[in-house]
Amino acid sequence: MPHGQLEKAAQILARCKSAVASTGAGMSAESGIPTFRDPGGLWDVVDPMEVGTVAGLVRALDKNAAALVPVLRNILSSLEKSAPNAGHYALAKLEKMGVLAGVVTQNVDNLHAEAGSRRVVEVHGNAFRLRCLACGSVERKDRAALL
């Protein structure tokens, strides 16, 4: 972000009583996690209309796991190797300072929490919080346990 835009953003935030950050794939791209829509992203490899929901993903795995498993391993590998970047830490610091009320993110990578954000709403869930589709129990996994 050019300095002038950063200065303007800081002035706007300074006048706010409360703000919320909304983030998506671009936030974590700098951390090495490929986006879904950019060239070379997940949607270039698989059809989002087929696997874009949990039910669709389960059906696709049931039909052709051999084709999807390498794609899923690649995603898990990028999640395992990633770490919060300066943007994640900046948002956590703004929250700690009382400038941000929290973060709403589409990302499932847990990087906001790892950077120190405490109030994070994860629209699409969290890859490190696994829920059993049969019984609903939840289990947390650490980054290294993915592979």
Side-chain angles (χ1 to χ4, degrees), residues 6-147:
L6 186 59
E7 184 69 29
K8 185 175 181 179
Q11 290 171 359
I12 292 169
L13 279 174
R15 291 191 308 263
C16 289
K17 289 185 179 186
S18 183
V20 173
S22 176
T23 68
M27 185 74 183
S28 295
E30 188 179 318
S31 293
I33 298 175
T35 66
F36 281 53
R37 293 178 184 86
D38 288 335
L42 182 63
W43 295 153
D44 280 355
V45 181
V46 296
D47 180 358
M49 299 307 289
E50 183 180 340
V51 299
T53 65
V54 172
L57 180 59
V58 170
R59 273 193 307 274
L61 282 168
D62 189 45
K63 277 185 359 188
N64 190 3
L68 279 177
V69 167
V71 173
L72 295 174
R73 283 186 192 243
N74 187 41
I75 293 168
L76 292 175
S77 177
S78 68
L79 286 172
E80 179 193 31
K81 296 173 187 170
S82 65
N85 64 53
H88 294 105
Y89 287 112
L91 292 178
K93 185 172 183 176
L94 288 170
E95 181 185 317
K96 188 173 183 176
M97 293 167 53
V99 175
L100 283 184
V103 176
V104 177
T105 186
Q106 295 181 32
N107 299 340
V108 299
D109 54 33
N110 203 51
L111 296 178
H112 285 294
E114 290 175 26
S117 291
R118 296 290 166 241
R119 294 181 297 258
V120 181
V121 175
E122 297 161 320
V123 177
H124 297 304
N126 185 310
F128 301 94
R129 226 178 14 254
L130 308 177
R131 180 181 306 273
C132 176
L133 297 176
C135 71
S137 68
V138 176
E139 183 177 331
R140 291 185 179 271
K141 294 287 185 185
D142 66 10
R143 193 166 295 284
L146 284 179
L147 292 178

